[in-house]
Amino acid sequence: MSTALLINGKQKAQELTVTIKEATLKLKQEGIIPGLAVVIIGEDPASQVYVRNKKRTAEECGFSSTQHSLDKDVSEQEVLNLIKTLNEDSAVHGILVQLPLPRNLNEELITQSIVPEKDVDGFHYINIGKLAAGDLENAFVPCTPAGCMLMIEDQLGKDLSGLNATVIGRSNIVGKPMASLLLQANATVTICHKATKDVPGIVKQSDIVVAAVGRPDMIKGNWIKPGAVVIDVGINRIEVEENGEMKSKLTGDVDFDEVVMVASAITPVPGGVGPMTIAMLMFNTLRSAKNSQ
Ligand code: GUN
């Protein structure tokens, strides 16, 4: 039996970045420079890495990019004041507040204070509502599910009629918007979560599996329908022993070594979903800049 095709998210993201860079050059000739403002609060090491990558890619695309690093003890009012300034700044087209936030800050209050027109993360209720209603033309779609969808389309086309899709995880950032996108593409969609009775049994009937749980190597080879397309959103840091030494390693929610033997296509971790998330953030920011014309 042949092993699954490896979906190269890194390469696809680089191709998208080139296209975005070209579109940005054109927009600049019309006097608009796409502007992305990234707000990071506290010292979470993973968030620091993500934000650095976002800033670097924004610069690669030719955007103007600003980073606002705030202390973990910043008051909610100070954060809201900063967002108000960014909301009103015509040079800023996209505003992103990196999550998770320190415990003392109200995530809902802060994400909802970004005006929907600059909400390139797609977290504002207006954008959530547009996506749920199927208005993809006008919604900002959250970056991770948007990137997953492009990789699924590459394998199966834009119309998923007759295909079963299972999303494992029901977060607002990934699981729920992912399910909306799959439904909009005519897939028959199931969302599994903590209270689901028979996750392996449901996954076994699925032509498309998107795993976004945050549990290393949870999805096993014998859960997978032969030929399924498997998208692994998980980024879990685990300790593994190598030559008698403990080393830190990134792994997904999918047991890659098992599933690669059964699926038709699979995203690796790292190099699958991660780079696509960043590319979609650039795509959303470019779109916002165009909308501002
Ligand atoms: N933290 C993890 N993923 C994301 C994301 O897509 N956007 C933001 N703002 N924070 C995140």
Side-chain angles (χ1 to χ4, degrees):
M1 204 167 69
S2 61
T3 58
L5 172 100
L6 288 196
I7 300 173
N8 192 338
K10 193 171 171 189
Q11 189 188 333
K12 189 170 174 65
Q14 268 161 2
E15 287 162 11
L16 281 168
T17 303
V18 170
T19 312
I20 293 167
K21 193 174 172 176
E22 285 165 7
T24 301
L25 270 175
K26 271 199 193 137
L27 206 56
K28 279 185 177 171
Q29 285 162 3
E30 295 164 35
I32 298 175
I33 301 169
L36 175 65
V38 178
V39 179
I40 178 160
I41 308 169
E43 306 290 332
D44 180 63
S47 292
Q48 300 283 344
V49 174
Y50 297 146
V51 163
R52 209 179 308 133
N53 288 339
K54 286 171 184 179
K55 190 164 193 292
R56 197 195 55 222
T57 312
E59 281 160 8
E60 233 175 270
C61 288
F63 296 1
S64 103
S65 142
T66 54
Q67 185 175 325
H68 304 265
S69 303
L70 305 178
D71 190 84
K72 70 174 185 345
D73 295 321
V74 69
S75 73
E76 208 159 76
Q77 196 53 53
E78 279 177 82
V79 181
L80 294 174
N81 289 345
L82 170 62
I83 292 174
K84 183 169 186 289
T85 307
L86 297 170
N87 279 339
E88 290 167 358
D89 184 344
S90 62
V92 172
H93 303 101
I95 305 169
L96 174 143
V97 178
Q98 186 66 26
L99 303 179
L101 293 176
R103 240 185 272 261
N104 53 316
L105 297 172
N106 181 332
E107 182 179 304
E108 183 183 18
L109 190 70
I110 288 173
T111 53
Q112 299 309 309
S113 73
I114 297 170
V115 289
E117 299 76 31
K118 297 189 181 186
D119 168 39
V120 284
D121 254 331
F123 294 167
H124 194 285
Y125 294 148
I126 291 276
N127 286 312
I128 295 175
K130 284 179 179 170
L131 170 59
D135 183 10
L136 296 184
E137 291 284 299
N138 292 300
F140 279 120
V141 177
C143 304
T144 300
C148 293
M149 206 58 206
L150 287 188
M151 294 190 284
I152 292 169
E153 281 176 5
D154 278 350
Q155 298 306 313
L156 299 167
K158 280 183 190 291
D159 186 0
L160 306 176
S161 292
L163 298 177
N164 293 335
T166 295
V167 179
I168 312 169
R170 57 174 160 181
S171 69
N172 291 332
I173 298 188
V174 184
K176 288 178 200 166
M178 188 73 238
S180 292
L181 287 171
L182 288 161
L183 181 62
Q184 193 60 29
N186 296 327
T188 303
V189 184
T190 307
I191 304 177
C192 293
H193 48 79
K194 276 198 286 296
T196 303
K197 221 173 177 179
D198 180 18
V199 181
I202 294 167
V203 170
K204 192 79 192 180
Q205 297 181 34
S206 306
D207 306 288
I208 301 159
V209 181
V210 181
V213 213
R215 276 177 56 188
D217 301 338
M218 171 184 153
I219 290 69
K220 298 297 175 190
N222 62 5
W223 298 20
I224 301 294
K225 178 177 172 179
V229 172
V230 178
I231 307 291
D232 191 351
V233 179
I235 303 178
N236 308 293
R237 194 163 279 285
I238 57 164
E239 296 290 315
V240 288
E241 197 185 317
E242 230 178 70
N243 305 328
E245 258 182 73
M246 293 312 281
K247 286 210 166 136
S248 174
K249 174 187 169 225
L250 287 182
T251 188
D253 292 345
V254 174
D255 190 322
F256 183 88
D257 293 343
E258 288 189 16
V259 173
V260 76
M261 305 306 291
V262 191
S264 67
I266 183 170
T267 57
V269 177
V273 172
M276 285 298 289
T277 296
I278 298 183
M280 296 320 290
L281 175 66
M282 303 307 137
F283 176 83
N284 282 350
T285 306
L286 174 69
R287 212 175 95 186
S288 177
K290 281 184 181 167
N291 288 346
S292 76
Q293 269 178 311

